[in-house]
Amino acid sequence: MKVLITGGAGFIGSHLSELLLKDEETQVTVIDSLSTGKYRNVQALTGHPNYRLIVAPVTDTSLLEPLVADCDHVYHLAAAVGVRRIIEQPVDTIETNILGTEAVLSLAAKYHKKVLIASTSEVYGKNTKVPFKEEDDSVFGATTKSRWSYACSKAIDEFLALAYNKEKGLPVVIVRFFNTVGPRQTGRYGMVIPNLVRQALKEQPLTVYGDGRQSRCFTHVRDSIRCQKALMNEPRAVGEVFNLGSQEEVTIERLAQRILELTGSKSELQYIPYEEAYESGFEDMRRRVPDTSKVRALLGFAPDSHLDDILKDVIAYFREHPELH
Ligand code: UDP
């Protein structure tokens, strides 16, 4: 089995590479621009006989074409991520997400290769339904609010993947990640758990945006990659969209308190209005909970890890890597 992972030096892609390489028959090629992906994430893999890292943007089709032609499966994880980055670099977000996916899908169609498309719970936008089922509506805010460019770009990716499946028979599997967290995720792009853990370890105030009553369900990257692999190897997943996440819901305020308890930090919570944290008119979702019955029915999959497992692993990671503080 030859696997191509776009964005494979990123947080999720590097864990996925390690999992797939456990099978001695699997060869992994990664293409990553190292813009948000990091060499240190894959440094330990670089000597592996079945591993290859190519540093290039996924939109470089002359480089991408032979890689797609030569593989069996493509995991398309290359994307612009993180709410902070999306607000600061909207052009790059839209172009990376739409042009990158278009490049991967058109080449996969040319060579008839199976593709997993990494999508996001952001595609539900500000729909207030709890929990979200895969068929629920996408509800986006105005185009003047740049946060929604991420959700829209990922929704276009999904439309395009489903169109390739319907019109050209391309085998695609679409997976919507719900707040995936674990070691190697950096706080640089705004993600809450690495941010708050770093702050707690440095005895700085923990920045809780808004009133802290908004909630999320956090998924351990270990569970996420296990499920991605199983979906990719399941013929009945082709042409389908799946929520991938935990259903353990926590408010951001409670999350911050738990991080203080687990680190033993003496820091305090600092409530910061959204317009200060991001930009004026910023819109957040109050709750975001997946209905995971579809993936459970197909694969019998449910996450093994709980929020405390995630927090302990992230805390241990930052303790081991003080240079990342
Ligand atoms: N958040 C926070 N403090 C931070 C970073 C994020 O309170 O330092 C909040 C953010 O406003 C959101 C939640 O935590 O309500 C999750 O944010 P994240 O960027 O991790 O993921 P999102 O769910 O927004 O994609």
Side-chain angles (χ1 to χ4, degrees):
M1 170 70 75
K2 290 182 175 177
V3 174
L4 174 64
I5 306 179
T6 73
F11 151 60
I12 298 177
S14 61
H15 287 281
L16 180 66
S17 300
E18 286 170 5
L19 175 70
L20 297 177
L21 284 169
K22 283 187 182 156
D23 178 351
E24 284 173 14
E25 304 292 309
T26 298
Q27 293 177 23
V28 172
T29 299
V30 161
I31 177 166
D32 197 302
S33 63
L34 298 186
S35 51
T36 54
K38 291 282 165 285
Y39 180 66
R40 68 165 177 270
N41 288 341
V42 294
Q43 202 167 2
L45 290 176
T46 45
H48 194 293
N50 288 343
Y51 181 79
R52 186 162 59 132
L53 169 67
I54 288 152
V55 180
V58 70
T59 45
D60 184 337
T61 46
S62 57
L63 243 163
L64 187 64
E65 179 156 2
L67 303 181
V68 173
D70 187 44
C71 75
D72 302 301
H73 284 172
V74 184
Y75 289 83
H76 177 44
L77 305 185
V81 289
V83 177
R84 176 157 310 286
R85 185 168 186 271
I86 284 145
I87 287 170
E88 286 166 4
Q89 298 176 31
V91 172
D92 183 59
T93 299
I94 298 167
E95 290 186 350
T96 304
N97 291 358
I98 295 180
L99 303 180
T101 302
E102 199 278 329
V104 167
L105 287 170
S106 63
L107 289 172
K110 184 169 173 186
Y111 295 100
H112 202 73
K113 302 300 165 107
K114 191 169 184 178
V115 187
L116 180 138
I117 297 286
S119 186
T120 166
S121 55
E122 281 267 329
V123 298
Y124 296 106
K126 45 182 181 172
N127 186 336
T128 52
K129 196 167 165 288
V130 179
F132 290 128
K133 275 190 90 63
E134 286 83 352
E135 296 302 312
D136 287 335
D137 289 343
S138 297
V139 183
F140 300 144
T143 52
T144 47
K145 295 182 173 147
S146 51
R147 177 194 189 134
W148 301 115
S149 66
Y150 178 63
C152 278
S153 66
K154 284 296 197 174
I156 288 286
D157 289 352
E158 291 196 16
F159 277 126
L160 195 59
L162 292 170
Y164 267 98
N165 174 254
K166 190 172 165 199
E167 212 177 302
K168 301 181 191 290
L170 180 69
V172 297
V173 180
I174 297 170
V175 186
R176 292 184 183 153
F177 298 158
F178 280 70
N179 292 78
T180 308
V181 194
R184 296 187 195 142
Q185 186 179 45
T186 83
R188 198 166 308 124
Y189 310 109
M191 280 82 163
V192 65
I193 290 185
N195 245 8
L196 300 188
V197 167
R198 276 188 312 143
Q199 290 163 347
L201 293 178
K202 288 196 289 183
E203 302 289 346
Q204 291 174 346
L206 269 57
T207 54
V208 173
Y209 300 160
D211 63 6
R213 304 281 164 83
Q214 71 273 33
S215 67
R216 295 292 187 271
C217 298
F218 294 96
T219 312
H220 200 302
V221 65
R222 198 169 42 220
D223 287 321
S224 176
I225 56 172
R226 181 165 61 85
C227 185
Q228 290 173 48
K229 181 183 172 199
L231 281 171
M232 196 57 154
N233 292 320
E234 170 53 64
R236 289 172 299 166
V238 168
E240 299 287 337
V241 180
F242 297 91
N243 288 339
L244 201 178
S246 151
Q247 291 189 299
E248 187 181 347
E249 189 179 5
V250 64
T251 65
I252 300 305
E253 186 177 55
R254 177 66 202 130
L255 174 74
Q257 286 160 349
R258 190 69 190 132
I259 289 172
L260 292 181
E261 287 161 13
L262 290 174
T263 54
S265 169
K266 302 270 177 296
S267 297
E268 297 192 336
L269 305 193
Q270 181 185 10
Y271 292 83
I272 299 178
Y274 284 118
E275 55 273 21
E276 245 175 69
Y278 298 111
E279 62 179 358
S280 86
F282 180 83
E283 294 175 319
D284 199 14
M285 301 85 180
R286 291 303 279 177
R287 296 179 71 186
R288 186 195 271 160
V289 182
D291 179 319
T292 54
S293 52
K294 186 172 175 183
V295 74
R296 197 174 333 114
L298 185 68
L299 301 175
F301 170 82
D304 284 337
S305 302
H306 294 284
L307 180 64
D308 269 10
D309 303 317
I310 297 173
L311 294 179
K312 283 174 191 161
D313 283 357
V314 173
I315 291 165
Y317 176 72
F318 279 109
R319 282 201 165 123
E320 275 163 34
H321 294 276
E323 74 280 7
L324 302 178
H325 286 195

